[in-house]
């Protein structure tokens, strides 16, 4: 406690020093834009970006697009995580399941899922279905791989102890294997979240009329560099937010881990 | 259950376990009476762990007969607690019958950890974790308690305290105990009987009748100790060494 209050002043001073150079860069950027060295078709001025952002926020345009993207990403993610987790459980908990599931999964996971876009358009048309299906496909593999590895990587001594102390198979899965594999699952979940946002940019090029990815493509056609920068900002803020969400979930469900116990 | 179950906790006849050509257990015979404290010594690779795992039901044997009580429990060298379950939940894990929570709490109290009931295993010291493992074994009221080098990873002071605790709990609950250990002193101080295992067979079976607490420095126990060390292939000096380092520096070999 005392250590923290001692270091408070240097903390703020450090923060100020850290912010100084980005602010300086921003000012340089603004000056370059105003003087015409940086034309708006290369990149818009910070002030213009700020103005557009304010406009898009006030009109609800940005929120509307964000909502559409969010629904797509979360639907795809929900399907992908469920499928990946189910397959990992079947493959992880039984020999037969592993034989049946693991090699096809290992083959499929090496396909760049974005290369399947044309096939999905042929199969599912150009509506919402291929968009959600593609995100689901992309998010299945990281969840499958990490959860499967987590189940198989569990300390056999713990399972042995559980057997010795009279746990039947169902209880072993519930009390030992699943909680033990949870940390690995969260690693996969983080990857899956990242992939779902990455996927959005691509799938929203397929005949979309709304969404952040659509906004980027639309802005490119009209050379609206300010809108593109805003979309990039939205992505990074969302990325941070989702990371915080997963961290919160981990903190809650993995409270037993030494890293969380100490903090 | 065999009719001798009230007398013998464990009865092993001509047990064989082999991996490929190598016989780990080679026609092993062993009887442990109900409530007896037996220590099992042996060099590494002598089959100690294989025998213990067979008695625990974690491993099969390839030939011979094995009779063990249904109610058995084990404590291993590592505590093997589930890190995601609080201490008392580790104790009550898999516990059948009425009121598992209260029984788990009582067991935690017996090992002196009533103040650590809700601790995460990750926050327990080595000795505390091992005591939780002991509580988890005892709460099942085993007829046979298997101890696989349970003190090996503990520091010297904690080890002495744990040995006393095990003796105390053994007197109170009276299970048959099979303690697998490398430590000759530990075996001599704790057990009613000391067995020596070599190449898959029991080559010596010593009864130690001295009352506990025992003192390793007594003449008789020193002789027992030297005898056991000889069986284990450790040559010791003819005279009990009052100062070990003196003898080491005095050797010219």
């Amino acid at each position: 406690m005392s250590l923290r209050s001692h270091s408070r002043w240097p903390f703020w001073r450090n923060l100020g020093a850290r912010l100084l150079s980005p602010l300086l860069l921003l000012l340089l950027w603004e000056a370059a834009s105003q003087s015409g060295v940086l034309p708006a078709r290369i990149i818009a001025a910070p002030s213009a970006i700020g103005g557009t952002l304010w406009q898009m926020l006030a009109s609800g345009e940005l929120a509307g697009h964000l909502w559409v993207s969010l629904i797509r990403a979360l639907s795809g993610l929900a399907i992908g995580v469920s499928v990946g987790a189910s397959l990992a459980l079947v493959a992880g908990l039984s020999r037969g399941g592993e034989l049946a599931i693991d090699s096809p999964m290992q083959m499929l996971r090496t396909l760049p899922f974005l290369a399947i876009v044309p096939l999905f358009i042929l199969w599912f048309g150009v509506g919402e279905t291929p968009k959600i299906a593609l995100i689901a496909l992309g998010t299945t593999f990281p969840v499958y791989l990490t959860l499967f590895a987590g189940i198989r990587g569990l300390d056999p001594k713990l399972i042995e102890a559980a057997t010795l102390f009279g746990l039947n198979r169902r209880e072993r899965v519930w009390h030992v294997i699943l909680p033990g594999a949870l940390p690995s699952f969260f690693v996969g979940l983080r990857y899956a979240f990242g992939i779902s946002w990455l996927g959005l940019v691509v799938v929203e090029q397929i005949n979309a009329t709304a969404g952040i990815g659509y906004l980027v493509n639309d802005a490119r056609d009209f050379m609206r560099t300010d809108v593109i920068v805003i979309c990039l900002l939205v992505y990074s803020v969302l990325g941070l937010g989702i990371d915080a969400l997963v961290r919160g979930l981990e903190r809650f469900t993995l409270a037993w881990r030494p890293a969380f116990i100490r903090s | 259950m065999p009719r001798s179950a009230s007398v013998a906790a464990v009865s092993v006849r001509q047990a064989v376990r082999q991996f490929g050509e190598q016989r780990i257990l080679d026609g092993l015979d062993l009887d442990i009476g109900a409530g007896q404290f037996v220590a099992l010594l042996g060099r590494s690779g002598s089959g100690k762990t294989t025998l213990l795992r067979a008695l625990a039901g974690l491993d099969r044997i390839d030939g011979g007969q094995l009779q063990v009580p249904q109610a058995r429990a084990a404590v291993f060298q590592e505590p093997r607690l589930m890190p995601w379950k609080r201490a008392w939940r580790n104790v009550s894990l898999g516990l059948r019958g009425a009121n598992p929570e209260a029984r788990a709490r009582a067991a935690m109290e017996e090992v002196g950890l009533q103040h650590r009931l809700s601790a995460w295993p990750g926050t327990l010291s080595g000795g505390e974790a091992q005591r939780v493992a002991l509580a988890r074994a005892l709460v099942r009221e085993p007829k046979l308690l298997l101890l696989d080098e349970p003190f090996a990873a503990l520091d010297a002071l904690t080890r002495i305290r744990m040995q006393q605790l095990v003796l105390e709990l053994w007197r109170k609950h009276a299970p048959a105990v099979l303690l697998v250990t490398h430590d000759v002193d530990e075996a001599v101080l704790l057990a009613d009987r000391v067995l020596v295992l070599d190449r898959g067979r029991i080559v010596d079976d010593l009864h130690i009748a001295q009352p506990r607490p025992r003192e390793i420095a007594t003449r008789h126990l020193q002789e027992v100790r030297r005898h056991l060390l000889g069986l284990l292939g450790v040559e010791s000096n003819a005279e009990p060494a009052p100062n070990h380092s003196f003898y080491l520096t005095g050797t010219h070999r």
Side-chain angles (χ1 to χ4, degrees), chain B residues 33-111:
Chain B
Q36 207 169 38
F37 198 129
V38 176
L40 182 65
L41 287 169
R43 285 182 252 194
S44 29
S46 60
K48 297 190 302 277
T49 305
T50 309
L51 175 60
L52 184 119
R53 289 176 60 84
L55 293 175
L58 293 171
D59 208 352
R60 64 192 171 83
I61 51 172
D62 299 313
Q65 287 179 333
L66 198 75
Q67 280 177 355
V68 286
Q70 253 313 303
R72 54 187 186 232
V75 179
F76 303 94
Q77 185 175 339
E78 335 73 47
R80 300 198 188 183
L81 303 174
M82 312 297 153
W84 43 85
K85 293 203 176 285
R86 294 184 186 273
W88 77 266
R89 282 202 179 273
N90 263 289
V91 175
S92 73
L93 189 64
L95 200 57
R96 320 279 170 193
N99 225 342
E101 183 175 345
R103 279 152 68 204
R105 280 167 194 275
M108 285 286 285
E109 203 161 322
E110 268 193 321
V111 297

Side-chain angles (χ1 to χ4, degrees), chain A residues 154 157-168 171 175-177 179-180 255-256 258 261, chain B residues 53 56 58 72-74 76 78 80-85 93-94 96 120 122-123 136-137 140:
Chain A
L154 207 64
K157 288 176 172 175
L158 287 184
I159 301 175
E160 206 175 82
T163 314
L164 187 65
F165 289 116
L167 269 68
N168 59 34
E171 291 170 323
H175 290 293
V176 183
I177 296 175
W256 50 273
I261 293 170
Chain B
R53 289 176 60 84
L58 293 171
R72 54 187 186 232
F76 303 94
E78 335 73 47
R80 300 198 188 183
L81 303 174
M82 312 297 153
W84 43 85
K85 293 203 176 285
L93 189 64
R96 320 279 170 193
W120 295 113
T123 63
R136 178 176 61 177
R140 278 141 238 271

Side-chain angles (χ1 to χ4, degrees), chain B residues 119-136:
Chain B
W120 295 113
T123 63
L124 298 172
S125 70
E128 284 175 329
Q130 210 52 326
R131 278 193 277 165
V132 175
L134 194 59
R136 178 176 61 177

Side-chain angles (χ1 to χ4, degrees), chain B residues 5-242:
Chain B
S6 56
V7 189
V10 174
S11 162
V12 182
R13 288 286 166 272
Q14 291 297 308
V16 173
R17 176 78 173 115
Q18 54 187 36
F19 296 100
E21 282 299 289
Q22 203 184 358
R23 285 200 161 192
I24 306 296
L25 299 181
D26 189 8
L28 181 138
D29 291 319
L30 169 67
D31 286 289
I32 299 177
Q36 207 169 38
F37 198 129
V38 176
L40 182 65
L41 287 169
R43 285 182 252 194
S44 29
S46 60
K48 297 190 302 277
T49 305
T50 309
L51 175 60
L52 184 119
R53 289 176 60 84
L55 293 175
L58 293 171
D59 208 352
R60 64 192 171 83
I61 51 172
D62 299 313
Q65 287 179 333
L66 198 75
Q67 280 177 355
V68 286
Q70 253 313 303
R72 54 187 186 232
V75 179
F76 303 94
Q77 185 175 339
E78 335 73 47
R80 300 198 188 183
L81 303 174
M82 312 297 153
W84 43 85
K85 293 203 176 285
R86 294 184 186 273
W88 77 266
R89 282 202 179 273
N90 263 289
V91 175
S92 73
L93 189 64
L95 200 57
R96 320 279 170 193
N99 225 342
E101 183 175 345
R103 279 152 68 204
R105 280 167 194 275
M108 285 286 285
E109 203 161 322
E110 268 193 321
V111 297
L113 285 178
Q114 57 278 11
H115 58 294
R116 299 292 266 151
L117 280 173
S118 298
W120 295 113
T123 63
L124 298 172
S125 70
E128 284 175 329
Q130 210 52 326
R131 278 193 277 165
V132 175
L134 194 59
R136 178 176 61 177
L138 282 170
V139 77
R140 278 141 238 271
E141 284 160 25
K143 291 268 182 297
L144 173 63
L145 178 62
L146 300 160
L147 304 174
D148 187 4
E149 302 187 34
F151 317 122
L154 302 175
D155 66 87
L157 292 175
T158 313
R159 187 178 311 151
I160 294 170
R161 239 179 271 134
M162 276 295 285
Q163 288 169 350
Q164 286 166 350
L165 179 66
V166 165
L167 271 184
E168 196 181 298
L169 292 169
W170 167 68
R171 279 203 199 95
K172 193 167 158 199
H173 297 270
V177 175
L178 182 69
L179 167 70
V180 169
T181 178
H182 274 124
D183 186 341
V184 174
D185 290 3
E186 181 174 288
V188 171
L189 286 176
L190 297 180
D192 297 321
R193 268 169 78 199
V194 181
L195 308 175
V196 180
L197 193 64
D198 192 30
R199 293 195 204 104
R201 279 186 196 171
I202 286 171
V203 295
D204 204 357
D205 185 347
L206 279 177
H207 286 254
I208 301 177
Q210 286 199 343
R212 302 178 185 84
R214 295 174 186 156
E215 200 58 62
I216 195 73
T218 61
R219 192 175 188 85
H220 176 61
L221 290 187
Q222 279 295 319
E223 272 164 23
V224 170
R225 180 176 182 272
R226 211 171 313 132
H227 170 74
L228 289 170
L229 281 171
L231 282 174
L232 295 168
V234 183
E235 296 298 321
S236 63
N237 296 302
E239 293 294 312

Side-chain angles (χ1 to χ4, degrees), chain A residues 122-162:
Chain A
L122 286 176
W123 291 348
F124 303 121
V126 289
E128 283 302 286
T129 321
K131 300 183 179 69
I132 292 173
L134 210 68
I135 291 174
L137 182 75
T139 51
T140 299
F141 297 109
V143 171
Y144 170 81
L145 288 172
T146 51
L147 185 56
F148 179 71
I151 292 173
R152 285 303 166 91
L154 207 64
D155 186 356
K157 288 176 172 175
L158 287 184
I159 301 175
E160 206 175 82

